[in-house]
Amino acid sequence: DSGVTQTPKHLITATGQRVTLRCSPRSGDLSVYWYQQSLDQGLQFLIQYYNGEERAKGNILERFSAQQFPDLHSELNLSSLELGDSALYFCASSVGRGGNEKLFFGSGTQLSVL
Amino acid sequence: GENVEQHPSTLSVQEGDSAVIKCTYSDSASNYFPWYKQELGKRPQLIIDIRSNVGEKKDQRIAVTLNKTAKHFSLHITETQPEDSAVYFCAAGNFGNEKLTFGTGTRLTIIP
């Protein structure tokens, strides 16, 4: 167990809908990262938050947004869902600002858009 | 930004043989190079990392080598076992660059 909690584990929804994925980092970790992993694909970085503020942005679609709350948990909001958004979404956390430190991954949320 | 290339994309080796996965990076400022292992249906987990002040690091059957001049680093697994079957990701980063850049992954299959 990495100490990073993601909910829900599975999510099935329809095209055009909106969903929210939740992540609680390890106790003491200030950074939260979101990654998308499609079938047989690598880890695509979406966005990073550090202590409540956005720190880095990857190839995140405009239909996607995220935030980190004062208690450091984070939510990833996906709207106007398309079939291609079906993927495994991982959250990870680290102690500091990242770049040169270990990431602890959650077990992921499997999103299926039908 | 940083670009990390990883080869091969798939690798099959006989149990007991060695496996080598190679990565190259583009940003000379990168100084942190971790390797993550993702078993089927599981989360990625760090198995070993190396910082640019050393050229090699070992942990039992796993070793990583770094060539800063050539900007490449490699993962070596010796005496492979069935439980080594997984997808392996390399990554590169540095303090001040908030995100790690991951390679595209190598699916390693150990043949009994």
Side-chain angles (χ1 to χ4, degrees):
Chain A
D1 184 9
S2 67
V4 179
T5 303
Q6 283 189 252
T7 58
K9 290 190 183 304
H10 302 278
L11 200 49
I12 301 174
T13 187
T15 55
Q17 295 298 304
R18 172 190 168 94
V19 297
T20 297
L21 282 55
R22 182 188 169 101
C23 170
S24 293
R26 288 190 325 152
S27 177
D29 284 359
L30 297 179
S31 275
V32 170
Y33 310 76
W34 287 98
Y35 287 87
Q36 180 191 56
Q37 186 174 44
S38 302
L39 193 63
D40 282 342
Q41 295 292 310
L43 293 161
Q44 301 298 318
F45 171 72
L46 297 178
I47 198 164
Q48 179 206 358
Y49 282 84
Y50 172 75
N51 204 21
E53 294 188 0
E54 182 183 306
R55 290 292 296 175
K57 217 167 185 177
N59 297 324
I60 187 167
L61 299 172
E62 286 191 8
R63 301 184 284 109
F64 296 1
S65 64
Q67 55 183 330
Q68 187 180 30
F69 295 87
D71 67 353
L72 301 178
H73 91 271
S74 177
E75 293 181 356
L76 177 67
N77 300 296
L78 314 177
S79 61
S80 303
L81 285 168
E82 302 175 359
L83 296 177
D85 297 327
S86 295
L88 185 54
Y89 291 84
F90 282 108
C91 165
S93 72
S94 68
V95 172
R97 298 184 179 185
N100 66 344
E101 54 186 10
K102 180 177 180 178
L103 298 185
F104 294 86
F105 283 83
S107 54
T109 293
Q110 181 67 57
L111 173 66
S112 299
V113 182
L114 305 178
Chain B
E2 175 66 276
N3 181 49
V4 177
E5 295 189 357
Q6 183 171 349
H7 300 280
S9 57
T10 60
L11 179 62
S12 295
V13 302
Q14 209 71 35
E15 183 178 353
D17 288 349
S18 296
V20 180
I21 303 171
K22 299 181 179 181
C23 290
T24 60
Y25 62 99
S26 61
D27 188 350
S28 57
S30 289
N31 56 17
Y32 176 64
F33 307 93
W35 287 86
Y36 285 80
K37 175 183 180 183
Q38 186 178 22
E39 297 177 11
L40 189 63
K42 302 283 184 65
R43 74 192 81 196
Q45 291 187 289
L46 181 73
I47 54 171
I48 194 168
D49 57 13
I50 190 169
R51 298 183 189 272
S52 59
N53 56 343
V54 297
E56 184 176 5
K57 184 176 180 180
K58 288 183 179 179
D59 183 2
Q60 298 181 2
R61 296 184 297 107
I62 293 173
V64 57
T65 58
L66 171 65
N67 183 327
K68 286 190 64 181
T69 303
K71 295 203 195 104
H72 68 70
F73 56 112
S74 301
L75 177 71
H76 304 253
I77 306 174
T78 59
E79 300 173 13
T80 53
Q81 301 170 5
E83 54 264 36
D84 295 329
S85 293
V87 177
Y88 292 81
F89 293 98
C90 63
N94 70 79
F95 182 75
N97 182 14
E98 286 78 9
K99 68 179 180 72
L100 284 175
T101 301
F102 282 87
T104 49
T106 296
R107 183 176 300 278
L108 174 64
T109 302
I110 307 302
I111 305 167

